[in-house]
Amino acid sequence: MTKKIEDYRVGDILRVTEGKLAPVACLEDEENQCSRVRDCAAIDLWEGLQEVIENYLDGITLQDLLDNRNKHFVRSE
């Protein structure tokens, strides 16, 4: 089934082509496998950054990219 161009989210495309969008390796698995996760002072920072990245990229469609190709990118809501 083919989707409309406005239904393709950049986040989904990057997950298919690049894999996980995790900013650090320990967040790539469904469950964090790092032996130091319980003592990690930065895990909340990395999890928060991952959420921001995913929300941002999932908020942009291919149609948004086409509409904004010749001007500064402004994310649609």
Side-chain angles (χ1 to χ4, degrees):
M1 182 170 121
T2 303
K3 296 180 184 180
K4 296 177 189 174
I5 194 167
E6 62 267 16
D7 293 332
Y8 285 96
R9 299 180 308 167
V10 171
D12 292 333
I13 294 167
L14 288 174
R15 285 183 199 90
V16 169
T17 59
E18 303 295 328
K20 302 285 183 168
L21 301 177
V24 290
C26 67
L27 295 178
E28 291 179 353
D29 295 325
E30 192 68 30
E31 185 176 327
N32 194 320
Q33 302 296 317
C34 180
S35 62
R36 299 178 296 183
V37 69
R38 292 178 196 247
D39 298 319
C40 182
I43 191 64
D44 290 338
L45 169 100
W46 295 124
E47 289 174 338
L49 178 59
Q50 181 173 357
E51 184 176 343
V52 169
I53 290 168
E54 290 181 354
N55 287 337
Y56 179 74
L57 294 173
D58 287 341
I60 302 168
T61 67
L62 288 181
Q63 186 65 58
D64 294 330
L65 293 177
L66 287 174
D67 291 346
N68 293 294
R69 68 182 172 263
N70 293 322
K71 54 186 165 182
H72 179 64
F73 188 79
V74 178
R75 187 173 145 221
S76 65
E77 295 298 321

